[in-house]
Amino acid sequence: MTTPSPVKVPVETPQLRPKGPPLLDSLTGLRGLAAILVFFFHFTTFRMVFGDSGGLEFAPLTRPRFLTMSGNFAVGSFFILSGFVLALTTRQGTSMANFAAKRVGKLVPVYLFTSVLAIAAILLIGMPISVNNVVLHLTLLQSWVPFQDIYHGVNPVTWSLSTEGFFYLLFPVALFLVRRLATRALYWLLGIAVFLEFALPLYVMKYFAVGDTGGHETYMSTGSKGGDLAYWFTLPFPPYRFLEFLVGMIACILLMRGVLPTVRLGWAWSLCAVAYAVGTYVPGPLQRTAVGMVPLTILVVALAQADFAGRTSLLRRRLFVELGKLSYGMYAIQLLVFLPTGPFVVRGLSEALSLPTETLDGALYQIPIALAYFLLIILLAIPIYRYIEVPAYDYAKKLYRDREGSDLFAVPGTSEGRSQ
């Protein structure tokens, strides 16, 4: 493939280098903010109660519509950030084996640890679980199956990790291609990705439906628009969600070429607030992904520009940065904490306060319960981060570093190098 002449600016553009550490702490802080949003979304979405037989079962919840957007924005920001950060940090001279080892080391150990805990918890409380479901989860394939009791089964949140694994498989080729596109072509590709983000859900809603679930259970309401297939297509389906990851990559490449205008953080936050409000009222298939894609990408760019320039950023504060570091563990463990214990907490409080359990469903009691669980999950995420996530990734980074760098990671216009 020939390299177009406009793409001779290496990714490491000198004028965009930060003046000093820390590097892009605001993006880590954005993960921290997303961790807060996704926790309260999950807390108001998933609930277990004691059934008539005395066993635990899922209970349908009716939450305010504005809380739905918190989960959508959180996951969307994770996917966009993932593409942006990987495009930024994957260096020329990286071997394919080293890249793969780092992705496995980052994703798999925490995933397997929490998945084994989830399987053990399901067996302990006596809920059904199929061998197929276990195999699909342990192989990170659950997002490819359009049934809720598969991609929301075992540990309901890990559909996003299955989807992220698909992104990692495509990333080397995608990076090679987007780095070799002219700037104008990148803008065209960006526009096509945004168009598809809106058009594909509308197409699926109009022309496709799941005729028979084959006895599979449904945990989440799929709404009046699109039904189960549109819900699956716009929530976990890896090729569709790859559009967000790709947009994050393109935004990073454009930023590194120095062709993006400076975006003020106040304007970026305002745009996200408007999108959040609008997304509260649009149909679910558009609400889950499309509405937030452009505003969240603009926010990521604005945060990166602020960090590179040393400007003040709320998300660079220690609270958000530390939560960002813990966000993976918090995300993977949270449902395993409050789902199986919630019914016992409610029953214990009901007996201690001499109140009916229905009274405890009110905001007066649910807010402090949620905050207590949030603090507990942070405490549990700390050892996951320190003793599983960090050691596994540090070990993986050292693997295969002496191998020859892959051509897929070569920066156009620069000589090939070996990883250091």
Side-chain angles (χ1 to χ4, degrees), residues 119 122-123 127-139 142 149-150 154:
I119 293 168
I122 291 170
L123 294 174
M127 296 188 72
I129 184 172
S130 69
V131 173
N132 287 343
N133 209 343
V134 171
V135 171
L136 286 167
H137 275 77
L138 294 182
T139 54
Q142 67 267 37
D149 57 356
I150 298 296
V154 183

Side-chain angles (χ1 to χ4, degrees), residues 97-114:
N98 180 251
F99 171 81
K102 287 188 290 187
R103 291 306 95 208
V104 170
K106 184 69 174 177
L107 180 66
V108 172
V110 173
Y111 176 83
L112 288 180
F113 172 72
T114 53

Side-chain angles (χ1 to χ4, degrees), residues 77-266:
S77 66
F78 283 140
F79 287 162
I80 293 167
L81 270 173
S82 183
F84 186 96
V85 173
L86 268 183
L88 180 70
T89 58
T90 301
R91 299 190 305 167
Q92 176 167 275
T94 299
S95 71
M96 187 59 67
N98 180 251
F99 171 81
K102 287 188 290 187
R103 291 306 95 208
V104 170
K106 184 69 174 177
L107 180 66
V108 172
V110 173
Y111 176 83
L112 288 180
F113 172 72
T114 53
S115 293
V116 170
L117 286 182
I119 293 168
I122 291 170
L123 294 174
L124 184 64
I125 62 180
M127 296 188 72
I129 184 172
S130 69
V131 173
N132 287 343
N133 209 343
V134 171
V135 171
L136 286 167
H137 275 77
L138 294 182
T139 54
L140 280 166
L141 294 175
Q142 67 267 37
S143 289
W144 293 91
V145 182
F147 300 115
Q148 287 192 37
D149 57 356
I150 298 296
Y151 59 82
H152 280 325
V154 183
N155 186 356
V157 303
T158 55
W159 67 263
S160 64
L161 305 177
S162 170
T163 302
E164 184 83 10
F166 174 71
F167 301 166
Y168 292 163
L169 289 176
L170 293 189
F171 174 75
V173 173
L175 182 66
F176 178 86
L177 295 176
V178 298
R179 276 179 169 173
R180 280 151 182 80
L181 290 177
T183 296
R184 178 175 295 183
L186 281 178
Y187 279 119
W188 273 103
L189 183 59
L190 190 63
I192 291 170
V194 173
F195 170 77
L196 291 175
E197 187 80 358
F198 282 87
L200 289 176
L202 296 174
Y203 182 77
V204 172
M205 287 163 59
K206 184 173 179 63
Y207 294 108
F208 292 91
V210 175
D212 182 7
T213 61
H216 288 273
E217 296 184 37
T218 297
Y219 300 130
M220 305 283 290
S221 170
T222 56
S224 59
K225 298 291 185 180
D228 289 344
L229 185 63
Y231 182 83
W232 168 71
F233 185 88
T234 54
L235 186 73
F237 186 50
Y240 177 68
R241 298 309 296 254
F242 180 75
L243 292 171
E244 294 160 284
F245 183 85
L246 177 63
V247 164
M249 290 178 59
I250 296 171
C252 178
I253 300 302
L254 291 173
L255 178 64
M256 293 299 99
R257 290 183 185 176
V259 299
L260 292 181
T262 299
V263 182
R264 294 298 175 183
L265 277 172

Side-chain angles (χ1 to χ4, degrees), residues 31-45:
R31 293 185 187 275
L33 176 61
I36 297 172
L37 292 176
V38 81
F39 167 81
F40 286 100
F41 168 75
H42 285 151
F43 190 82
T44 56
T45 298

